[in-house]
Amino acid sequence: MTDNLHLNIVILAAGQGTRMKSSLPKVLHSLAGKALVQHVINTSKKLNPEIINVVYGHGGEQVQQQINDSEINWVLQAEQLGTGHAVEQVTNKLKDEQLVLILYGDVPLIKVETLTNLLEKAKDGFSLLTVSLKKPDGYGRIVRDKNGLVENITEEKDASNKVKEINEVNTGILAVKADLLKKWLGKLDNNNVQEEYYLTDVIAMAVKDGYTVETTQPDNEHEVMGVNNRLQLAELERHYQQEQANKLMAGGITLADPTRIDIRGKLIHGQDISIDINTVFEGNVSIGNNVSIGANCVIKDSKIADDVVILPMSILDNASVGKGSKVGPFARLRPGAVLSDNTHIGNFVEIKKSFVGLGSKVNHLTYIGDSMIGKNVNVGAGTITCNYDGANKHQTVIADNVFVGSATQLVAPVKIGKNATIGAGSTITTDVAEDELAITRVKQKSIKGWKRPAKIKK
Ligand code: UD1
Ligand code: CA
């Protein structure tokens, strides 16, 4: 729909953000795990623009480095002399036939649909996104004439008491034909209380030149709310998370408490999933059907198949859990942990860069790293694959139907053959053949009449 618009997007992000009280530029503070300005860039891209300009100032190098996106045209505004001055810095990137959309790096939740409506209305010259607020304090007010047409925007600091009573305010987001914008930008002055070049003054110029300034409003005021301090950041985060939670519930997920789940990325899911409180999802996570996730889990960039149970306090990072498996409580699946179907990974078990075969169980207090574990293997409590010799990592291979007794160390590189058994308490340093029992325990001695050392009385 926006394809043939010749869209030129300008994102203003040069403000200092003093009220954040931070050494990090404001637009790099994160909302749902992503920099504020990244949200705006991602939304911008969905509109298929010909160019995205980001006007940066304070801390700009840091912003460019972190965003690291070659599709962005970065424009420096060395001194912040106002929103109009900021847009002026982009003048040589504005082509006459383009439609310019002005967005803000610290207004992260603006929606594609809202912008599409705004752009639709800008075809004849100019459109403005406004919102009616119960408390309009601090915002530029939309002044309309007796026919209800927009006349100008008056900044609060320049407003009379009568104008201050107006509830409809400027969100700052607007769309305007590039040729017109260029003409009007050239005429801006800073004859106002703040001695700034106001972008908003182009509205009065448009009216004077006989253009009707069209307006649209967003569905929800959070879309146009900016972040100036950490309280506002937290408010927007909660709003965003509530929206995510609502979508999940509409899609077939039961949430024990929709206010206690955080999605910092993308969650793809099936149906009949239940998620207990305080779970954090990061990056790209996919969950199949009929899955239950216990309280206080952190799940990042992982895949969970159908019929899986994740018990409380488990951490998954770049892991994959096969159908019908059970993980936790207190399990840690680190990058490269791949569990086949029907596996059991129990409490205080850490698995890294390892494959666990169909139906195998690693139930208690164990470290499995750089390992290949076959089918129907039982790894006893307190087993450690000693994968690191202080310089290099080595592999442990455990074939099908192996039984590893408790408190065993498998010193890699080492291979345990099919159906082999490892006696509890063994330190295995060489390969074990199929069907054999390997045991390295010192033979048990009994000493009759043995007395424990007694405490020396002083
Ligand atoms: C602006 C609008 C006001 C509107 C409000 C909505 C103007 C003159 N006023 O006021 O009508 O109600 O936004 O939040 O436009 N920026 C730059 N360079 C500058 C100045 C600002 O990049 O030289 C960026 C800031 O980083 C910020 C945005 O522009 O993201 C808005 O600037 P700010 O000074 O906060 O404008 P407001 O006074 O809030
Ligand atoms: Ca502001």
Side-chain angles (χ1 to χ4, degrees):
M1 190 176 182
T2 51
D3 280 359
N4 49 9
L5 280 182
H6 303 292
L7 193 57
N8 185 324
I9 296 183
V10 179
I11 301 174
L12 302 191
Q16 287 211 3
T18 350
R19 281 171 287 169
M20 294 300 281
K21 304 258 166 69
S22 174
S23 59
L24 190 70
K26 174 163 81 175
V27 295
L28 289 184
H29 279 259
S30 66
L31 184 139
K34 238 173 10 203
L36 293 173
V37 69
Q38 188 69 60
H39 286 268
V40 185
I41 291 170
N42 293 354
T43 305
S44 296
K45 287 188 175 176
K46 291 187 187 144
L47 295 165
N48 300 318
E50 290 179 347
I51 183 171
I52 299 175
N53 305 281
V54 177
V55 181
Y56 70 95
H58 184 74
E61 293 67 33
Q62 211 181 331
V63 179
Q64 283 180 57
Q65 253 169 33
Q66 192 183 312
I67 300 302
N68 189 21
D69 183 338
S70 60
E71 287 176 44
I72 303 254
N73 178 49
W74 297 94
V75 181
L76 175 68
Q77 184 193 22
E79 251 187 309
Q80 278 86 66
L81 303 179
T83 48
H85 178 258
V87 176
E88 251 187 292
Q89 311 309 305
V90 190
T91 309
N92 65 1
K93 289 285 174 187
L94 305 180
K95 295 186 190 147
D96 284 350
E97 74 280 8
Q98 286 175 327
L99 185 60
V100 184
L101 173 64
I102 309 289
L103 300 174
Y104 298 83
D106 57 356
V107 181
L109 299 186
I110 186 68
K111 291 207 167 120
V112 174
E113 302 76 48
T114 303
L115 294 175
T116 309
N117 288 341
L118 181 77
L119 293 170
E120 239 352 85
K121 290 217 170 180
K123 281 187 176 148
D124 294 327
F126 207 127
S127 73
L128 190 63
L129 191 66
T130 70
V131 66
S132 295
L133 299 177
K134 280 201 196 92
K135 280 184 164 184
D137 311 54
Y139 291 91
R141 306 297 204 283
I142 307 294
V143 179
R144 292 181 182 267
D145 66 15
K146 52 183 180 305
N147 300 318
L149 297 176
V150 176
E151 218 169 54
N152 68 64
I153 295 178
T154 304
E155 291 306 301
E156 164 132 335
K157 284 176 181 146
D158 302 299
S160 65
N161 285 336
K162 188 142 190 289
V163 168
K164 280 186 192 160
E165 278 168 22
I166 299 172
N167 290 88
E168 188 186 7
V169 304
N170 174 30
T171 66
I173 295 173
L174 55 87
V176 53
K177 293 260 242 346
D179 50 347
L180 297 173
L181 178 64
K182 277 196 275 191
K183 183 173 88 181
W184 294 326
L185 282 177
K187 293 186 188 167
L188 288 181
D189 61 46
N190 62 352
N191 296 331
N192 51 57
V193 175
Q194 303 187 78
E195 297 187 341
E196 283 183 6
Y197 294 87
Y198 291 166
L199 176 62
T200 45
D201 284 351
V202 302
I203 281 113
M205 294 180 193
V207 173
K208 203 170 148 229
D209 286 357
Y211 290 90
T212 301
V213 175
E214 299 280 354
T215 58
T216 51
Q217 297 220 335
D219 283 342
N220 188 299
E221 64 185 60
H222 287 95
E223 281 186 58
V224 296
M225 282 168 67
V227 172
N228 293 307
N229 54 43
R230 296 187 197 238
L231 177 64
Q232 290 171 338
L233 180 61
E235 281 168 3
L236 286 192
E237 175 81 41
R238 284 306 105 208
H239 173 78
Y240 179 86
Q241 293 302 343
Q242 183 67 55
E243 276 197 331
Q244 303 298 301
N246 293 350
K247 275 189 213 158
L248 295 182
M249 292 185 289
I253 297 190
T254 297
L255 299 177
D257 181 352
T259 67
R260 284 184 288 171
I261 177 169
D262 283 74
I263 315 281
R264 300 173 190 154
K266 201 167 178 191
L267 181 56
I268 296 169
H269 61 87
Q271 295 186 355
D272 297 311
I273 295 164
S274 75
I275 302 176
D276 209 335
I277 59 166
N278 292 339
T279 285
V280 177
F281 294 92
E282 290 178 23
N284 293 312
V285 174
S286 78
I287 306 179
N289 294 311
N290 191 34
V291 168
S292 144
I293 296 175
N296 301 315
C297 293
V298 179
I299 301 177
K300 178 180 175 191
D301 292 316
S302 293
K303 255 191 176 145
I304 297 169
D306 295 349
D307 309 317
V308 167
V309 176
I310 311 276
L311 292 163
M313 320 288 174
S314 296
I315 314 282
L316 281 69
D317 179 2
N318 275 281
S320 158
V321 180
K323 197 172 171 207
S325 294
K326 203 169 152 188
V327 173
F330 297 100
R332 181 170 181 211
L333 302 182
R334 290 175 50 201
V338 177
L339 313 183
S340 266
D341 296 352
N342 300 320
T343 58
H344 286 189
I345 305 300
N347 40 218
F348 307 107
V349 173
E350 173 181 349
I351 300 201
K352 184 217 79 172
K353 212 175 172 188
S354 294
F355 176 84
V356 179
L358 182 72
S360 290
K361 293 176 182 152
V362 188
N363 269 330
H364 327 266
L365 300 157
T366 288
Y367 173 63
I368 301 291
D370 304 295
S371 301
M372 284 286 304
I373 298 181
K375 293 177 207 158
N376 299 315
V377 169
N378 190 88
V379 176
T383 296
I384 291 172
T385 55
C386 309
N387 59 330
Y388 186 49
D389 60 14
N392 298 298
K393 299 275 169 73
H394 302 282
Q395 236 208 354
T396 299
V397 179
I398 302 175
D400 298 350
N401 295 313
V402 165
F403 180 93
V404 180
S406 297
T408 290
Q409 301 95 53
L410 300 165
V411 182
V414 70
K415 285 189 177 130
I416 316 296
K418 244 163 65 183
N419 302 316
T421 304
I422 311 293
S426 295
T427 302
I428 302 296
T429 53
T430 53
D431 291 356
V432 176
E434 282 183 32
D435 302 310
E436 284 184 358
L437 166 69
I439 189 161
T440 68
R441 230 179 285 158
V442 179
K443 209 172 168 201
Q444 186 169 330
K445 282 192 283 191
S446 289
I447 299 170
K448 279 197 182 123
W450 164 257
K451 294 234 162 27
R452 283 196 217 158
K455 224 177 193 168
I456 299 161
K457 281 182 190 138
K458 281 181 205 156

